Amino acid sequence: MSFLKLCQGDPLVSVLKDHFDASIARIPKSSIKPNLVLGYSNGKLNTLGQLDSLFKEDLYNIPAVKVEEVTKELSGKRSGSMSSSFGIKILEGFLKGFNIPSAGLAQMITKADDIAYSFDRIRSQYIESLKLGAVLGGQELNTANLSLKPFLTDSKNRLFVVVRTYQSKSFNIHFDQSFESNLELNLKGLKGMMDLDNASFNLKKKEEGGLGFEGSTYKTFAFQLVELEVDEDGLYIKEIVSDNDHKVLRENNQIPITNLSNDPVMFDIESDEQIPVS
């Protein structure tokens, strides 16, 4: 599977993975939403389409997406400090996701010894697990769908549906004390390289230190998945038993949330052209 491995014990990753049972996206995307179907095949995680693409009949009872603010555990929670060289690998995905040009920024960051990152004003989108279960139990699977065939014929291929996302319009970069003391000078040079008058984001120095990048659109940077079992007769939420490596979220009606990896990683999610994402 395409991913970037992170450090064990990272504070932000630990909250996302251990507390929320969330997987982390390498490139934040607004298209990652509840009811989105993902497929794991040939070592890649792909978007396949919306939930109703799986069935023969149109769905009229697709679980409604609800929104809530998430502030206490996540907003402003910093990652652990990392070398600037490794940090740039992570930030490349963030910059791409928020449509921020990397010219000049990577060059500036290499001057720092250590960096960290965080997200502000986080919201969560989610669907109710009971309603998801009702939909899966009452529909006839479209087994003629060519994109679904690999999941019917090969058990190594896995099928998921997104049930919750964690989103933000902004992210922050934090620096070591030495670099922070010269941040105004470095920021002045950076602004000279970036066309901020025509940019789709705001760049500012944070009062508590570091740089903040804020866009106009919420981007999903972490998400919860339910794994589906599929056969020619139907589609089911996969049972997760206590003696395997997956965790069971003990809230939200105990819906079994799947962790894609026991290691802390950021996943690349690629688009599958066969079923467009609406």
Side-chain angles (χ1 to χ4, degrees):
M1 187 180 292
S2 300
F3 60 82
L4 176 66
K5 191 169 183 178
L6 303 175
C7 297
Q8 292 281 357
D10 183 283
L12 177 57
V13 174
S14 295
V15 170
L16 285 168
K17 188 173 183 298
D18 298 333
H19 183 79
F20 291 103
D21 286 333
S23 301
I24 305 171
R26 187 172 183 180
I27 300 176
K29 296 180 179 181
S30 56
S31 60
I32 305 173
K33 299 176 180 179
N35 292 321
L36 177 67
V37 178
L38 301 177
Y40 169 61
S41 180
N42 297 320
K44 295 180 180 180
L45 193 62
N46 297 306
T47 60
L48 297 181
Q50 298 301 309
L51 188 62
D52 57 357
S53 300
L54 295 172
F55 306 108
K56 286 185 176 181
E57 303 293 335
D58 293 335
L59 291 184
Y60 299 101
N61 57 343
I62 298 175
V65 177
K66 300 184 178 182
V67 180
E68 64 182 4
E69 297 299 317
V70 181
T71 56
K72 182 178 178 181
E73 297 90 351
L74 278 179
S75 287
K77 184 77 173 181
R78 292 192 186 189
S79 70
S81 295
M82 63 196 77
S83 67
S84 58
S85 58
F86 182 73
I88 288 173
K89 293 181 181 179
I90 293 177
L91 292 172
E92 284 175 348
F94 293 169
L95 296 173
K96 186 174 182 179
F98 283 87
N99 300 314
I100 299 172
S102 59
L105 183 59
Q107 182 179 353
M108 185 191 82
I109 291 176
T110 57
K111 300 175 184 177
D113 292 328
D114 301 298
I115 68 170
Y117 62 90
S118 65
F119 294 92
D120 284 334
R121 295 187 296 280
I122 296 168
R123 77 175 190 181
S124 178
Q125 293 182 312
Y126 67 98
I127 56 176
E128 295 179 5
S129 61
L130 287 179
K131 293 185 177 180
L132 175 63
V135 168
L136 297 182
Q139 299 294 329
E140 187 176 358
L141 194 63
N142 184 9
T143 57
N145 189 320
L146 294 178
S147 292
L148 194 57
K149 288 289 185 181
F151 304 96
L152 290 168
T153 58
D154 191 340
S155 61
K156 294 192 296 296
N157 297 327
R158 301 167 67 186
L159 200 63
F160 308 94
V161 60
V162 178
V163 293
R164 184 180 284 269
T165 64
Y166 297 95
Q167 302 179 312
S168 179
K169 292 183 179 180
S170 63
F171 72 93
N172 311 307
I173 308 175
H174 311 277
F175 303 98
D176 59 89
Q177 187 173 357
S178 175
F179 187 87
E180 184 70 36
S181 63
N182 295 308
L183 185 56
E184 286 285 0
L185 181 61
N186 287 309
L187 182 57
K188 183 177 180 181
L190 176 63
K191 287 182 175 179
M193 299 180 188
M194 304 176 77
D195 184 11
L196 296 180
D197 291 334
N198 298 310
S200 58
F201 63 93
N202 293 320
L203 168 63
K204 63 180 180 180
K205 185 177 182 293
K206 306 282 287 185
E207 290 184 6
E208 64 273 23
L211 296 178
F213 297 84
E214 183 166 0
S216 58
T217 305
Y218 277 99
K219 304 285 186 176
T220 295
F221 63 88
F223 51 93
Q224 287 182 350
L225 296 175
V226 166
E227 186 165 359
L228 305 179
E229 287 185 311
V230 57
D231 59 34
E232 294 190 1
D233 295 324
L235 199 62
Y236 316 93
I237 294 177
K238 185 173 182 177
E239 181 182 3
I240 298 178
V241 296
S242 59
D243 61 351
N244 70 9
D245 293 329
H246 299 304
K247 294 185 177 181
V248 176
L249 191 68
R250 303 203 178 278
E251 56 181 317
N252 195 21
N253 304 308
Q254 294 189 333
I255 187 170
I257 301 299
T258 294
N259 283 321
L260 292 174
S261 172
N262 291 322
D263 296 320
V265 298
M266 305 177 90
F267 293 96
D268 290 311
I269 301 177
E270 303 179 25
S271 293
D272 190 319
E273 299 300 329
Q274 296 182 63
I275 304 180
V277 179
S278 59

